[in-house]
Every structure is written in structure tokens, then in C-alpha cells.
Amino acid sequence: MPLHVPPAPAPALRSVLTALGSPTAVREARTPSLLRAQGPVTPEFPLPVHVLDGVDASGVPATRLSGWRFLIRCGDRAVAAAETMLTPDGWAFSRFFEGPYIASTELALRQAEAMSQPHQPRLLSVPRLYMLTLWLHGDCTTDGATGRPAPADLLVPLAPAPPGIAAHRPHRVADLLPVLTHRVTPAPLLSSPA
């Protein structure tokens, strides 16, 4: 079943296209694979990037949109990614980057395409665990920039995942969120002996 990729804001896409057309932006990006790309490069798979700021006492996750990420494709594979951010003047190009999350995102998207249930793909970042997940939202009609993970949504940890969490294994939000919450909650301080 195909993924229902939400449309990125037009200014975000334009800012990425402008950056890709700028030799200065590409040269200063420190992305060797983008510099070595032979042939045209195109931004694909716009994914809204949400950040998990915490979970309230009732278990409801608090998230916020931090930007849009585009995989930059050259030929048959993604060679880099471009990220945009919201500024007071609107959506603006933020940076190009590469690394293990690029291939891991591509793999997770292919796995999601093979699922029988339709999903809207997003990214969910858990900064306190240095973790990024592909968030497969069950309601394909919603705006990708809004909402929070529903208990039945799926989270697919991307590699490298934190120790003890398997990468590329889909987890229901209701099952994985308590594990993440437990890991990011600081342990109570022990009192010192008298």
C-alpha cells in the first residue's frame, strides 16, 4: 500500500531547490557524497520532522514541528538530505547533511511501503536519546505538520538506534513510548548516608 506523503510547504521546497542550485551552499555543506554526485540531484520524500519534548502524566506525548526534511536523490539512491526550518520570515533552507540516517530512512520507507495498511510518514526525533524514528501516522488525511503520535501509530527506530532498541522494527506508539519515557526520565537521587 503506498505511503501518503504529506505535501511540504511550497516555500520549504523552493528554499531547498535554491540551495541545490547554489554552488556555494553545496560546497560549504560538508557533504562529500553531494559534491561527488554525478548527474542531477532532486529533493524527494518531504517528511515533517517532529520533536518529542516529553510525555505528560497521562501518557500523552508532547511534540512540536521543527522542520521538513527532504531526501536528496541522485540516480537510484539518496545521497544526502536537506532540512528546512521555520523562521519569522517563513520556511528557509537550514542545511545539507549525510550519514547513516539517510540510508536508514530509505530502508524504513521501503519497509513501510510493503505494509498492508496505509500510513502518512513523518520523522519523530527524541533528542534526549539521540534517536530518530520514522513515525507512521495512521490518519492519512491530516496535515503532516500537526498532531501527535496516536497509540496505534507505528514508530520505526532508525539506525543507529539506542542500545536495547532494535532498528527497523516497527513498534506501536503505545508499546514504545513507555520504554522511551522510562529512559529519558532521570533516576531519583539517592540520599547520602548520614
Side-chain angles (χ1 to χ4, degrees), residues 29-37 79 98:
R30 297 191 184 135
T31 52
S33 60
L34 190 57
L35 286 169
R36 289 190 307 265
V79 296
E98 60 184 57

Side-chain angles (χ1 to χ4, degrees), residues 53-75:
D53 287 325
V55 178
D56 69 16
S58 63
V60 176
T63 60
R64 63 183 162 79
L65 179 69
S66 67
W68 283 81
R69 183 174 294 177
F70 298 79
L71 293 179
I72 306 299
R73 182 166 304 282
C74 180

Side-chain angles (χ1 to χ4, degrees), residues 181-192:
T181 303
H182 175 72
R183 287 191 175 200
V184 298
T185 303
L189 296 176
L190 300 174
S191 59
S192 58

